[in-house]
């Protein structure tokens, strides 16, 4: 008999399981950090309808039939804030509330409901199974909810053994990354534990969730549980661009923390290779910015990038970065020969400040108009007349080039028309063509 391996069908989300009265352990599945985040998110998305007043209408396909999702999970039956006449109001839960109701209230979109659930911790009536949800609430955007949750977590962790802290460590690392107020959560758990366990780093790095892998990088590096090999494996092989960016930044921080020349040289070489090899231009650009900010790249490295990188933005930012440094003048000759005209024009603008203003005339014959314009600006700033140089070049049969002819026309002087007319009889076709174009620029007939 032939059998077929079928994947498990997940008809209900974690929040919907709670809504049907299932226990927290049953609803959260494997209990990974990502599962608790998913549980909290699904409860919020289901209850936000009641708070904001809008309703979500959708359908779920099961087999050959279509079912309205309201038949499967009616979130109107979830606890809500019940206004009790003139009184302050209270959640519409059972008395006493069940474990699933408390869990629903801890993830509720209404801050009053979340605060009411956390207030039960003062009397010791908060189930131990919802401690991970309390941890998530410690990074809540509502100040009152956040304060109640932190008090409850401190009380719960005061007598907790190492096994409890290890179970909460992955979630603390994840909340510490993804939530605005998550730093306190990470320190509350990992500080008591003395750092992030290496197994937690490995588990988070192998997660399918990008935020979990990011949390492993940041928390692992912060607590000294992440090695360069692990960080580079993520930087070079992770499918998510954002995670690769975090990994590169982590690599740079780790290398600077080591401070050894051999480590820095190896990191510099791999960063440069990564700038050429990574398939995402956003990753390449962010990697470049992080390396420059950290001072990891030398003047020679930046010059090589300015001359040879395929990304135009990186070429030009490399040129700007190297010329902003103290060693910029040492690579000026290399920049002046760059294929990118924007790089050459910036380098030409640096010549006069480097004491090499006498070389500006040579760049008046550059094929790029931007480079010629930069040379003209610098010559005028030095008190010279670019037009006189152009006339001298055009009058010399050995020095005249198509770029020089156009450069003379760019000076916009009608008096140069006679010289340009003479160039229309030059034996070189390129010079004659440029002379005709120059005459049209000056509105002078051929």
């Amino acid at each position: 008999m032939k059998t077929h391996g079928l994947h498990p069908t997940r008809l209900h989300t974690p929040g919907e399981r709670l809504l049907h009265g299932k226990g927290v352990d049953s609803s959260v599945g494997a209990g990974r950090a990502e599962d608790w985040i998913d549980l909290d998110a699904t409860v919020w998305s289901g209850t936000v309808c009641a708070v904001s007043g809008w309703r979500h209408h959708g359908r779920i396909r099961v087999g050959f039939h279509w079912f309205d999702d309201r038949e499967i999970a009616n979130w109107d039956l979830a606890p809500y804030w019940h206004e009790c006449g003139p009184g302050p109001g209270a959640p519409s839960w059972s008395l006493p509330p069940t474990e699933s109701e408390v869990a629903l209230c801890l993830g509720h979109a209404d801050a009053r409901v979340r605060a009411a659930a956390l207030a039960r911790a003062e009397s010791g009536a908060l189930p131990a199974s919802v401690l991970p949800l309390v941890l998530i609430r410690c990074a809540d955007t509502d100040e009152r909810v956040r304060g109640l949750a932190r008090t409850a977590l401190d009380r719960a962790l005061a007598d907790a053994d190492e096994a409890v802290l290890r179970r909460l460590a992955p979630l603390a690392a994840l909340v510490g990354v993804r939530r605005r107020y998550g730093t306190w959560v990470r320190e509350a758990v990992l500080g008591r534990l003395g750092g992030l366990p290496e197994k937690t780093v490995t588990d988070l790095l192998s997660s399918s969730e990008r935020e979990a892998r990011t949390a492993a990088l940041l928390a692992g590096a912060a607590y000294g549980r992440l090695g360069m090999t692990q960080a580079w494996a993520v930087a070079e092989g992770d499918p998510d661009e954002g995670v690769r960016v975090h990994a590169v930044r982590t690599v740079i921080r780790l290398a600077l923390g080591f401070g050894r020349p051999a480590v820095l040289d190896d990191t510099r070489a791999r960063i440069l290779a990564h700038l050429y090899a990574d398939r995402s231009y956003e990753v390449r650009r962010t990697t470049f910015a992080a390396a420059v900010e950290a001072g990891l790249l030398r003047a020679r490295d930046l010059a090589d990038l300015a001359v040879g990188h395929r990304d135009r933005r990186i070429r030009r930012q490399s040129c700007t970065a190297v010329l902003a440094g103290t060693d910029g003048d040492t690579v000026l000759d290399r920049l002046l020969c760059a294929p990118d005209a924007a790089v050459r024009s910036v380098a030409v603008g640096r010549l006069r400040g480097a004491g090499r203003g006498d070389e500006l005339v040579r760049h008046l014959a550059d094929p790029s108009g931007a480079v010629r314009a930069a040379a003209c600006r610098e010559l005028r700033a030095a008190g010279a007349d670019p037009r006189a140089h152009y006339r001298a070049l055009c009058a010399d049969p050995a020095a005249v080039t198509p770029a020089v002819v156009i450069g003379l026309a760019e000076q916009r002087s009608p008096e140069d028309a006679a010289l340009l007319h003479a160039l229309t009889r030059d034996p070189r076709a390129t010079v004659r063509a440029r002379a005709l174009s120059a005459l049209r620029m000056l509105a002078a007939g051929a």
Side-chain angles (χ1 to χ4, degrees):
M1 178 179 177
K2 184 177 179 180
T3 60
H4 300 274
L6 299 178
H7 294 289
T9 300
R10 185 170 128 173
L11 181 59
H12 301 297
T13 65
E16 290 168 350
R17 296 191 191 106
L18 287 177
L19 195 64
H20 287 104
K22 301 293 184 182
V24 174
D25 291 338
S26 173
S27 301
V28 83
R32 303 171 304 164
E34 306 93 303
D35 297 326
W36 288 105
I37 295 293
D38 190 23
L39 173 63
D40 181 64
T42 56
V43 172
W44 186 90
S45 63
T47 54
V48 73
C49 300
V51 176
S52 60
W54 57 270
R55 290 290 181 270
H56 170 70
H57 299 282
R59 298 174 70 82
I60 298 175
R61 182 172 182 175
V62 182
F64 295 99
H65 304 285
W66 291 87
F67 294 93
D68 194 315
D69 59 0
R70 290 173 296 175
E71 298 177 5
I72 298 173
N74 185 2
W75 282 99
D76 289 336
L77 301 178
Y80 61 91
W81 187 257
H82 179 58
E83 300 290 352
C84 304
S92 64
W93 54 27
S94 305
L95 294 176
T98 63
E99 179 190 59
S100 58
E101 285 179 323
V102 173
L104 285 170
C105 290
L106 285 172
H108 203 283
D110 194 329
R112 296 172 296 181
V113 178
R114 300 197 299 271
L118 289 167
R120 296 181 59 80
E122 298 177 0
S123 60
L126 202 63
S129 59
V130 300
L131 186 60
L133 293 175
V134 175
L135 185 148
I136 294 174
R137 295 279 70 79
C138 291
D140 199 280
T141 54
D142 186 86
E143 185 176 0
R144 180 166 180 260
V145 172
R146 197 165 61 245
L148 289 171
R150 292 179 178 184
T151 301
L153 186 66
D154 273 334
R155 186 183 298 113
L157 296 183
D159 302 323
D161 56 13
E162 185 176 344
V164 173
L165 294 172
R166 285 182 174 272
R167 284 197 300 271
L168 293 176
L171 183 59
L174 186 54
V175 172
V177 170
R178 75 187 304 267
R179 299 299 174 96
R180 178 181 177 185
Y181 303 100
T183 304
W184 185 94
V185 180
R186 192 175 68 181
E187 293 298 327
V189 176
L190 302 185
R192 284 183 170 89
L193 193 58
L196 188 67
E198 292 184 6
K199 183 179 183 302
T200 300
V201 176
T202 304
D203 292 343
L204 289 174
L205 285 177
S206 62
S207 172
S208 59
E209 299 290 335
R210 65 183 300 272
E211 289 182 337
R213 302 195 298 274
T214 302
L217 290 169
L218 300 182
Y223 289 95
R225 295 292 191 274
L226 186 73
M228 293 285 287
T229 303
Q230 287 177 299
W232 269 119
V234 178
E236 296 173 344
D238 197 277
D240 188 272
E241 296 180 6
V243 177
R244 295 204 300 275
V245 167
H246 281 295
V248 169
R249 288 174 173 164
T250 301
V251 163
I252 293 174
R253 285 198 300 271
L254 290 174
L256 294 176
F258 283 117
R260 295 197 296 269
V263 176
L264 291 174
D265 289 342
D266 179 70
T267 303
R268 181 184 300 110
R270 295 188 69 168
I271 287 290
L272 289 170
H274 193 67
L275 284 172
Y276 286 97
D278 197 279
R279 56 190 176 276
S280 167
Y281 69 90
E282 286 296 338
V283 174
R284 295 195 301 267
R285 292 175 179 182
T286 309
T287 298
F288 171 79
V292 171
E293 183 181 0
L296 193 64
L297 301 181
R298 299 167 299 189
R300 184 178 61 198
D301 303 325
L302 291 170
D304 290 340
L305 290 171
V307 172
H309 201 277
R310 67 181 183 275
D311 191 315
R312 178 177 59 184
R313 185 173 174 181
I314 288 182
R315 290 197 302 269
R316 298 178 181 181
Q317 288 183 346
S318 297
C319 178
T320 302
V322 70
L323 292 180
T326 57
D327 298 331
D329 293 344
T330 62
V331 295
L332 201 54
D333 288 329
R334 183 155 172 73
L335 297 178
L336 290 170
C337 298
D340 192 332
V343 173
R344 297 200 306 275
S345 65
V346 173
V348 166
R350 180 67 176 260
L351 282 173
R352 194 165 55 90
R356 298 169 57 178
D358 54 337
E359 299 179 25
L360 289 170
V361 176
R362 177 165 58 92
H363 298 283
L364 291 175
D366 194 279
S368 169
V371 178
R372 294 195 300 271
C376 289
R377 285 195 302 270
E378 292 300 310
L379 283 171
R380 292 190 186 99
D385 183 11
R387 178 171 169 263
H389 289 290
Y390 272 121
R391 287 185 62 84
L393 291 170
C394 288
D396 184 357
V400 66
T401 62
V404 166
V405 175
I406 290 296
L408 178 60
E410 288 169 346
Q411 305 308 304
R412 301 292 178 177
S413 177
E415 299 167 356
D416 297 327
L419 182 55
L420 292 172
H421 273 296
L423 292 174
T424 59
R425 296 185 295 274
D426 192 273
R428 290 166 293 177
T430 54
V431 174
R432 295 197 305 272
R434 291 299 183 274
L436 290 172
S437 299
L439 288 171
R440 284 195 296 270
M441 291 172 63
L442 297 179

